[in-house]
Amino acid sequence: FWLKSVIGAPAGEPEFREERTATMRSCAFVAFVAGASAASPVAKVVQLLSSLEAKVTAEGEKEQQQYEKFVQWCEDNAKEKQHELKNSAEHKEGLEATIEKAEADISSTESAIADLSASISQNEGDLEKASAVRKAEHKDFLERDAEMADTIDTLERAMQTIKKEMTKGLMQLSASAAHTMTDALSKVLDAPVVSGNDKAKLEAFLQAQEAAKEDEGFAAAQAVQSSTQSSGFDAIMETFQDLLDKAESQRSQQTKEETEAQFNFEMLKQSLTDELKTENKELSSAR
């Protein structure tokens, strides 16, 4: 029983190993003293116990070494895991910061895209409206310019007709000249350059020519001559010249205004086009 308890004691811990060694020595001494008379069996027991002690001691030392290695492995592994946990925590914080920044960038980019889209839509609308207005203005200019050109041409032909008759030394227009003059002046009366006073002079001149066409007798001729003398070809020519100067000045002003309007439109168009080009490029990059 005592031998079994000694042999079966755990060998993994240092304290058990020392206690077991001391017990075995005591048992060997008792057996030696008790069985001194029987030298051969006792010697064998002592030899067996000594061998067992050496074996147990060797196994204990081996297990102690393995235990110490295991403890060292546990400590090293624990340190490694702690280091990995620390690195993982730091990596997690870095990833969370990256995600937060990415979310902020996404929000900022979405806002920029919305602003660019709104600005592009606004600029495209402004360009379309400006183009429509410019087209209408140019059309109106062409109509007014054509009307003014016709007025100038009519006044010049009327003045040429009067000058031609004046070179003949006549105090009244011939029938054909009067007809041409009447048709020409009928158009001039509605021209924008004709003021109320000028219109009255022209109408009086036309009435005098109409009276001459209705009655070619001596009395009518005298009446026309008297009317013509009172108003005078020089006066009517002066009126025509004044109207011609006004028409040419007004046409020149209209042309100047049209040129300025076209220039301003081209500048606006260029500005909007450049801005749209830049915004579309930025929008493409943002997307």
Side-chain angles (χ1 to χ4, degrees), residues 35-98:
S37 58
S40 181
V42 171
K44 290 182 179 180
V45 170
V46 172
Q47 184 180 3
L48 177 63
L49 291 176
S50 298
S51 175
L52 180 61
E53 179 186 8
K55 182 178 180 181
V56 170
T57 301
E59 290 179 354
E61 292 176 352
K62 183 178 180 180
E63 290 182 3
Q64 179 65 25
Q65 292 176 357
Q66 292 178 349
Y67 172 77
E68 291 176 354
K69 289 181 180 180
F70 177 74
V71 171
Q72 185 63 41
W73 178 84
C74 290
E75 291 177 354
D76 294 342
N77 192 53
K79 290 180 180 179
E80 182 179 350
K81 295 301 180 184
Q82 290 176 355
H83 183 68
E84 290 179 356
L85 288 173
K86 182 180 179 181
N87 290 341
S88 297
E90 293 176 353
H91 186 59
K92 178 184 176 183
E93 292 178 357
L95 290 176
E96 289 175 346
T98 301

Side-chain angles (χ1 to χ4, degrees), residues 57-249:
T57 301
E59 290 179 354
E61 292 176 352
K62 183 178 180 180
E63 290 182 3
Q64 179 65 25
Q65 292 176 357
Q66 292 178 349
Y67 172 77
E68 291 176 354
K69 289 181 180 180
F70 177 74
V71 171
Q72 185 63 41
W73 178 84
C74 290
E75 291 177 354
D76 294 342
N77 192 53
K79 290 180 180 179
E80 182 179 350
K81 295 301 180 184
Q82 290 176 355
H83 183 68
E84 290 179 356
L85 288 173
K86 182 180 179 181
N87 290 341
S88 297
E90 293 176 353
H91 186 59
K92 178 184 176 183
E93 292 178 357
L95 290 176
E96 289 175 346
T98 301
I99 292 173
E100 184 177 355
K101 183 178 182 303
E103 290 176 346
D105 291 342
I106 290 173
S107 178
S108 176
T109 301
E110 289 177 346
S111 177
I113 289 174
D115 292 341
L116 284 171
S117 298
S119 180
I120 289 172
S121 179
Q122 178 67 37
N123 287 334
E124 288 177 344
D126 291 344
L127 181 58
E128 184 177 355
K129 291 178 182 178
S131 299
V133 170
R134 179 84 283 271
K135 183 178 180 180
E137 290 177 346
H138 184 64
K139 181 181 178 181
D140 179 65
F141 163 74
L142 293 177
E143 292 175 353
R144 291 184 291 111
D145 187 68
E147 180 181 359
M148 195 60 65
D150 185 60
T151 299
I152 292 173
D153 180 68
T154 300
L155 288 170
E156 289 176 343
R157 287 189 291 106
M159 293 175 67
Q160 290 175 359
T161 301
I162 294 177
K163 288 179 180 179
K164 183 178 180 180
E165 295 299 314
M166 289 176 66
T167 58
K168 298 178 181 180
L170 300 176
M171 294 305 294
Q172 69 180 68
L173 299 176
S174 64
S176 61
H179 179 73
T180 301
M181 179 67 68
T182 300
D183 292 341
L185 293 182
S186 296
K187 297 179 180 179
V188 174
L189 287 174
D190 296 326
V193 295
V194 179
S195 63
N197 186 37
D198 294 333
K199 188 173 184 179
K201 294 179 181 180
L202 295 175
E203 288 176 344
F205 184 77
L206 285 174
Q207 289 174 0
Q209 300 306 316
E210 288 293 335
K213 288 194 295 181
E214 292 175 359
D215 189 352
E216 295 180 356
F218 176 79
Q222 290 295 325
V224 172
Q225 180 178 350
S226 176
S227 175
T228 304
Q229 287 175 339
S230 62
S231 59
F233 278 135
D234 291 337
I236 204 66
M237 283 293 291
E238 183 179 346
T239 300
F240 283 163
Q241 185 62 53
D242 182 56
L243 293 175
L244 181 61
D245 292 340
K246 290 180 180 179
E248 290 177 342
S249 176

